[in-house]
Amino acid sequence: MSLPTVLLCLALAVPVISPAQRFKVVDQRLFAPQQRTVFLLQDTLTDKKIILFRTKIQVNTDGTPMSYHPYDLHGETKAINTIGNAVAVRKKGSSKNLCLDRKTYKEAIRVFASYRDSGFEIVPEGYEITWKNVLAAERVGDIDKPCIIKTGPYAGYFGSLTSLTNGLTANRGECDCNNQVNPLEVPGLVLPGGNNALRNYGAKVGDLVAAYNPANDSLVYAIINDQGPAHNLGEGSVLLNMTLLGITEFPKSRKATYKLIPKNDVVIVIIPQSVNYERVRPYTAANVRKRVTEWFEAVGIHNKEDFKQLVSANGE
Protein backbone atom coordinates (compact mmCIF):
# COMPACT_ATOMS: atom_id res chain seq x y z
CA MET A 1 0.00 0.00 0.00
CA SER A 2 1.46 3.37 -1.02
CA LEU A 3 2.04 6.17 1.49
CA PRO A 4 -0.72 8.45 0.05
CA THR A 5 -3.17 5.54 0.31
CA VAL A 6 -2.16 4.91 3.92
CA LEU A 7 -2.63 8.57 4.80
CA LEU A 8 -6.04 8.60 3.13
CA CYS A 9 -7.13 5.54 5.10
CA LEU A 10 -5.94 7.09 8.34
CA ALA A 11 -7.82 10.28 7.56
CA LEU A 12 -10.99 8.35 6.86
CA ALA A 13 -10.59 6.48 10.13
CA VAL A 14 -10.61 9.68 12.19
CA PRO A 15 -14.12 10.15 13.58
CA VAL A 16 -15.91 13.37 12.65
CA ILE A 17 -16.98 15.27 15.77
CA SER A 18 -20.27 17.05 15.25
CA PRO A 19 -20.99 20.51 16.71
CA ALA A 20 -23.48 18.82 19.06
CA GLN A 21 -20.61 16.78 20.46
CA ARG A 22 -18.14 19.66 20.48
CA PHE A 23 -20.23 22.22 22.35
CA LYS A 24 -21.05 21.63 26.00
CA VAL A 25 -23.14 23.64 28.44
CA VAL A 26 -20.79 25.27 30.94
CA ASP A 27 -23.31 27.49 32.69
CA GLN A 28 -26.97 28.45 32.64
CA ARG A 29 -28.89 31.31 34.22
CA LEU A 30 -32.45 32.54 34.41
CA PHE A 31 -33.63 35.66 32.61
CA ALA A 32 -35.96 36.55 35.46
CA PRO A 33 -38.42 38.98 33.82
CA GLN A 34 -39.63 36.30 31.42
CA GLN A 35 -38.53 33.16 33.27
CA ARG A 36 -36.35 31.99 30.38
CA THR A 37 -33.20 29.91 30.73
CA VAL A 38 -30.08 31.23 29.00
CA PHE A 39 -27.31 28.72 28.28
CA LEU A 40 -23.58 29.37 27.87
CA LEU A 41 -21.93 26.76 25.63
CA GLN A 42 -18.23 26.22 25.00
CA ASP A 43 -16.48 24.45 22.12
CA THR A 44 -14.24 21.75 23.59
CA LEU A 45 -11.77 22.08 20.71
CA THR A 46 -11.32 25.87 20.46
CA ASP A 47 -12.79 27.12 23.78
CA LYS A 48 -15.00 29.52 21.80
CA LYS A 49 -18.36 30.26 23.38
CA ILE A 50 -21.91 30.89 22.31
CA ILE A 51 -25.02 32.03 24.17
CA LEU A 52 -28.20 30.10 23.43
CA PHE A 53 -31.81 30.67 24.46
CA ARG A 54 -35.39 30.39 23.27
CA THR A 55 -37.67 33.44 23.38
CA LYS A 56 -40.89 35.00 22.14
CA ILE A 57 -39.18 37.60 19.98
CA GLN A 58 -40.73 41.05 19.62
CA VAL A 59 -40.13 43.57 16.81
CA ASN A 60 -38.05 46.76 16.72
CA THR A 61 -38.09 49.55 14.10
CA ASP A 62 -35.50 51.98 15.47
CA GLY A 63 -32.95 53.14 12.92
CA THR A 64 -35.25 53.74 9.95
CA PRO A 65 -36.77 57.21 9.42
CA MET A 66 -40.11 55.50 8.80
CA SER A 67 -40.35 54.58 12.48
CA TYR A 68 -41.78 57.79 13.91
CA HIS A 69 -43.59 60.84 12.57
CA PRO A 70 -44.54 63.95 14.57
CA TYR A 71 -48.00 64.05 12.98
CA ASP A 72 -48.70 60.33 13.13
CA LEU A 73 -47.94 59.57 16.75
CA HIS A 74 -49.97 56.35 16.74
CA GLY A 75 -48.39 54.93 13.57
CA GLU A 76 -51.56 54.77 11.51
CA THR A 77 -50.90 56.57 8.22
CA LYS A 78 -47.19 57.41 7.91
CA ALA A 79 -45.09 55.88 10.68
CA ILE A 80 -44.60 52.15 11.24
CA ASN A 81 -44.42 52.53 15.02
CA THR A 82 -46.05 54.47 17.82
CA ILE A 83 -44.16 57.35 19.41
CA GLY A 84 -44.76 55.60 22.73
CA ASN A 85 -41.97 53.18 21.81
CA ALA A 86 -39.53 56.05 21.22
CA VAL A 87 -40.10 58.28 24.23
CA ALA A 88 -40.73 58.04 27.95
CA VAL A 89 -43.27 60.36 29.56
CA ARG A 90 -43.26 60.62 33.35
CA LYS A 91 -44.95 62.74 35.95
CA LYS A 92 -42.36 64.72 37.85
CA GLY A 93 -41.21 62.81 40.90
CA SER A 94 -42.32 59.45 39.45
CA SER A 95 -40.25 56.75 37.73
CA LYS A 96 -43.26 55.28 35.90
CA ASN A 97 -43.20 55.60 32.13
CA LEU A 98 -46.78 56.46 31.18
CA CYS A 99 -46.21 55.11 27.67
CA LEU A 100 -45.93 51.54 28.95
CA ASP A 101 -49.30 51.36 30.71
CA ARG A 102 -52.49 51.05 28.66
CA LYS A 103 -54.33 53.10 31.27
CA THR A 104 -51.95 56.06 30.89
CA TYR A 105 -50.82 55.64 27.27
CA LYS A 106 -53.27 58.19 25.85
CA GLU A 107 -52.24 60.68 28.53
CA ALA A 108 -48.59 60.21 27.52
CA ILE A 109 -49.39 60.81 23.84
CA ARG A 110 -51.33 63.97 24.69
CA VAL A 111 -48.36 65.27 26.67
CA PHE A 112 -45.97 64.59 23.78
CA ALA A 113 -48.37 66.17 21.27
CA SER A 114 -48.46 69.32 23.41
CA TYR A 115 -44.66 69.32 23.47
CA ARG A 116 -44.65 68.98 19.67
CA ASP A 117 -47.16 71.81 19.24
CA SER A 118 -44.91 74.11 21.26
CA GLY A 119 -42.19 73.61 18.67
CA PHE A 120 -40.51 71.13 21.01
CA GLU A 121 -39.71 73.92 23.43
CA ILE A 122 -42.19 73.54 26.31
CA VAL A 123 -42.93 70.34 28.18
CA PRO A 124 -46.38 70.50 29.83
CA GLU A 125 -46.17 71.44 33.47
CA GLY A 126 -45.82 68.53 35.85
CA TYR A 127 -44.29 66.16 33.27
CA GLU A 128 -40.90 65.07 31.99
CA ILE A 129 -40.17 63.66 28.52
CA THR A 130 -37.13 61.53 27.63
CA TRP A 131 -36.55 61.13 23.89
CA LYS A 132 -32.81 61.31 23.10
CA ASN A 133 -32.29 57.55 23.51
CA VAL A 134 -34.22 56.88 20.29
CA LEU A 135 -34.86 60.15 18.43
CA ALA A 136 -31.94 62.02 16.86
CA ALA A 137 -31.31 65.49 18.24
CA GLU A 138 -30.48 68.78 16.57
CA ARG A 139 -29.35 71.97 18.25
CA VAL A 140 -31.64 74.92 17.56
CA GLY A 141 -30.34 78.03 19.27
CA ASP A 142 -29.62 76.89 22.78
CA ILE A 143 -32.20 74.07 22.80
CA ASP A 144 -31.95 70.41 21.73
CA LYS A 145 -34.97 69.38 19.69
CA PRO A 146 -35.93 66.11 17.98
CA CYS A 147 -34.41 66.18 14.51
CA ILE A 148 -36.94 66.15 11.67
CA ILE A 149 -35.79 65.25 8.14
CA LYS A 150 -36.45 68.15 5.77
CA THR A 151 -35.86 66.73 2.27
CA GLY A 152 -36.12 63.53 0.28
CA PRO A 153 -38.50 60.57 0.62
CA TYR A 154 -38.46 60.73 4.43
CA ALA A 155 -39.17 64.46 4.71
CA GLY A 156 -41.22 65.13 7.83
CA TYR A 157 -40.14 62.03 9.73
CA PHE A 158 -38.09 61.99 12.91
CA GLY A 159 -34.52 60.78 12.69
CA SER A 160 -34.33 57.48 14.59
CA LEU A 161 -31.22 56.03 16.24
CA THR A 162 -29.60 52.64 16.81
CA SER A 163 -26.92 51.93 19.41
CA LEU A 164 -24.74 50.41 16.68
CA THR A 165 -23.73 52.80 13.92
CA ASN A 166 -22.02 52.41 10.56
CA GLY A 167 -19.03 54.53 11.54
CA LEU A 168 -19.51 56.94 8.64
CA THR A 169 -17.42 60.11 8.55
CA ALA A 170 -19.15 61.53 5.46
CA ASN A 171 -22.58 61.30 3.85
CA ARG A 172 -24.18 60.61 7.20
CA GLY A 173 -27.52 61.96 5.97
CA GLU A 174 -30.00 64.31 7.58
CA CYS A 175 -30.51 63.57 11.26
CA ASP A 176 -27.57 61.14 10.90
CA CYS A 177 -29.96 58.62 9.32
CA ASN A 178 -27.39 57.00 6.98
CA ASN A 179 -25.17 56.19 9.95
CA GLN A 180 -27.79 54.00 11.62
CA VAL A 181 -28.01 50.24 11.12
CA ASN A 182 -31.32 50.30 9.28
CA PRO A 183 -33.75 47.62 10.54
CA LEU A 184 -35.32 47.41 7.08
CA GLU A 185 -31.98 46.50 5.53
CA VAL A 186 -30.02 44.55 8.16
CA PRO A 187 -31.27 41.69 10.35
CA GLY A 188 -30.68 42.93 13.89
CA LEU A 189 -31.32 41.95 17.49
CA VAL A 190 -31.92 44.23 20.48
CA LEU A 191 -29.85 43.45 23.59
CA PRO A 192 -31.82 43.78 26.84
CA GLY A 193 -30.59 46.51 29.17
CA GLY A 194 -29.69 46.14 32.82
CA ASN A 195 -27.87 43.31 34.57
CA ASN A 196 -28.82 40.01 32.94
CA ALA A 197 -27.44 36.66 31.83
CA LEU A 198 -26.68 37.79 28.28
CA ARG A 199 -24.51 40.66 29.43
CA ASN A 200 -22.94 38.53 32.17
CA TYR A 201 -21.91 36.06 29.47
CA GLY A 202 -20.24 38.84 27.49
CA ALA A 203 -22.88 39.82 24.91
CA LYS A 204 -22.44 43.36 23.59
CA VAL A 205 -23.85 45.63 20.92
CA GLY A 206 -22.16 44.66 17.66
CA ASP A 207 -21.94 40.93 18.43
CA LEU A 208 -23.00 38.42 15.78
CA VAL A 209 -26.23 36.43 16.00
CA ALA A 210 -28.09 33.50 14.45
CA ALA A 211 -31.88 33.20 14.81
CA TYR A 212 -33.85 30.07 14.00
CA ASN A 213 -37.61 29.67 13.59
CA PRO A 214 -38.53 26.00 14.05
CA ALA A 215 -42.05 26.63 12.74
CA ASN A 216 -40.83 27.07 9.16
CA ASP A 217 -37.17 25.99 9.40
CA SER A 218 -35.83 29.52 8.78
CA LEU A 219 -32.27 30.35 9.86
CA VAL A 220 -31.24 34.02 9.75
CA TYR A 221 -27.85 35.61 10.43
CA ALA A 222 -27.93 38.93 12.25
CA ILE A 223 -26.10 41.40 14.48
CA ILE A 224 -26.91 43.07 17.79
CA ASN A 225 -27.70 46.54 16.49
CA ASP A 226 -29.41 48.11 19.49
CA GLN A 227 -30.12 47.87 23.19
CA GLY A 228 -33.49 48.17 24.84
CA PRO A 229 -35.59 47.62 27.94
CA ALA A 230 -34.42 45.27 30.67
CA HIS A 231 -37.64 43.27 30.74
CA ASN A 232 -37.62 41.96 27.16
CA LEU A 233 -35.46 39.02 26.07
CA GLY A 234 -35.17 39.72 22.39
CA GLU A 235 -36.53 42.17 19.85
CA GLY A 236 -35.77 41.58 16.21
CA SER A 237 -35.33 44.24 13.58
CA VAL A 238 -38.06 44.45 10.94
CA LEU A 239 -35.96 42.52 8.42
CA LEU A 240 -34.97 39.84 10.92
CA ASN A 241 -38.58 39.11 11.81
CA MET A 242 -39.73 39.30 8.19
CA THR A 243 -37.10 36.76 7.18
CA LEU A 244 -37.93 34.48 10.11
CA LEU A 245 -41.56 34.51 9.00
CA GLY A 246 -40.91 34.33 5.26
CA ILE A 247 -42.60 37.69 4.66
CA THR A 248 -41.36 39.96 1.85
CA GLU A 249 -43.68 42.99 2.07
CA PHE A 250 -42.47 45.76 4.36
CA PRO A 251 -44.92 47.15 6.93
CA LYS A 252 -46.61 50.48 6.29
CA SER A 253 -48.20 51.02 9.71
CA ARG A 254 -47.84 50.09 13.36
CA LYS A 255 -50.42 47.32 13.01
CA ALA A 256 -48.53 45.78 10.11
CA THR A 257 -45.28 46.01 12.09
CA TYR A 258 -46.79 44.19 15.06
CA LYS A 259 -47.90 41.37 12.75
CA LEU A 260 -44.19 40.59 12.33
CA ILE A 261 -44.05 39.10 15.83
CA PRO A 262 -43.83 35.29 15.49
CA LYS A 263 -46.50 33.42 17.43
CA ASN A 264 -44.06 30.69 18.43
CA ASP A 265 -40.72 30.78 20.23
CA VAL A 266 -37.56 31.26 18.18
CA VAL A 267 -34.05 30.14 19.07
CA ILE A 268 -31.34 32.77 19.38
CA VAL A 269 -27.59 32.14 19.36
CA ILE A 270 -25.28 35.04 20.20
CA ILE A 271 -21.54 34.89 19.59
CA PRO A 272 -20.20 36.94 22.52
CA GLN A 273 -17.28 39.29 21.97
CA SER A 274 -17.48 38.94 18.18
CA VAL A 275 -17.85 42.70 17.63
CA ASN A 276 -14.51 42.97 15.86
CA TYR A 277 -14.50 39.58 14.15
CA GLU A 278 -13.80 40.33 10.46
CA ARG A 279 -15.79 43.53 10.90
CA VAL A 280 -16.91 45.37 7.75
CA ARG A 281 -18.71 48.72 7.78
CA PRO A 282 -21.19 49.98 6.80
CA TYR A 283 -23.08 46.92 7.96
CA THR A 284 -25.14 45.02 5.39
CA ALA A 285 -27.15 41.82 5.50
CA ALA A 286 -24.55 40.24 3.19
CA ASN A 287 -21.43 41.10 5.18
CA VAL A 288 -23.10 40.14 8.47
CA ARG A 289 -24.09 36.77 7.00
CA LYS A 290 -20.53 36.19 5.74
CA ARG A 291 -19.05 36.93 9.17
CA VAL A 292 -21.42 34.59 11.00
CA THR A 293 -20.98 31.71 8.57
CA GLU A 294 -17.19 32.03 8.68
CA TRP A 295 -17.19 32.03 12.48
CA PHE A 296 -19.46 28.98 12.48
CA GLU A 297 -17.23 27.18 9.99
CA ALA A 298 -14.30 27.55 12.40
CA VAL A 299 -16.22 25.62 15.07
CA GLY A 300 -17.62 22.92 12.80
CA ILE A 301 -21.06 24.39 12.08
CA HIS A 302 -21.13 24.03 8.32
CA ASN A 303 -24.83 24.24 7.53
CA LYS A 304 -28.34 24.54 8.93
CA GLU A 305 -28.47 20.87 9.92
CA ASP A 306 -25.32 21.27 12.04
CA PHE A 307 -26.91 24.29 13.71
CA LYS A 308 -30.15 22.41 14.41
CA GLN A 309 -28.26 19.44 15.90
CA LEU A 310 -26.33 21.79 18.16
CA VAL A 311 -29.52 23.46 19.36
CA SER A 312 -31.33 20.17 19.85
CA ALA A 313 -28.50 18.65 21.89
CA ASN A 314 -28.10 21.55 24.30
CA GLY A 315 -31.22 22.29 26.23
CA GLU A 316 -33.41 23.63 23.44
Side-chain angles (χ1 to χ4, degrees), residues 115-132:
Y115 174 52
R116 173 203 63 197
D117 294 342
S118 74
F120 300 105
E121 294 185 2
I122 302 172
V123 176
E125 186 174 355
Y127 294 92
E128 296 176 340
I129 299 177
T130 303
W131 53 266
K132 290 184 182 179

Side-chain angles (χ1 to χ4, degrees), residues 281-297:
R281 294 190 295 182
Y283 299 101
T284 66
N287 64 42
V288 167
R289 178 185 177 87
K290 183 174 184 291
R291 292 171 64 198
V292 178
T293 54
E294 288 181 355
W295 195 96
F296 276 175
E297 283 283 346

Side-chain angles (χ1 to χ4, degrees), residues 208-240:
L208 300 170
V209 174
Y212 175 70
N213 184 2
N216 61 5
D217 201 33
S218 294
L219 178 61
V220 187
Y221 302 109
I223 191 168
I224 298 178
N225 71 323
D226 215 341
Q227 50 191 340
H231 65 274
N232 195 359
L233 183 61
E235 295 178 25
S237 72
V238 172
L239 185 59
L240 174 61

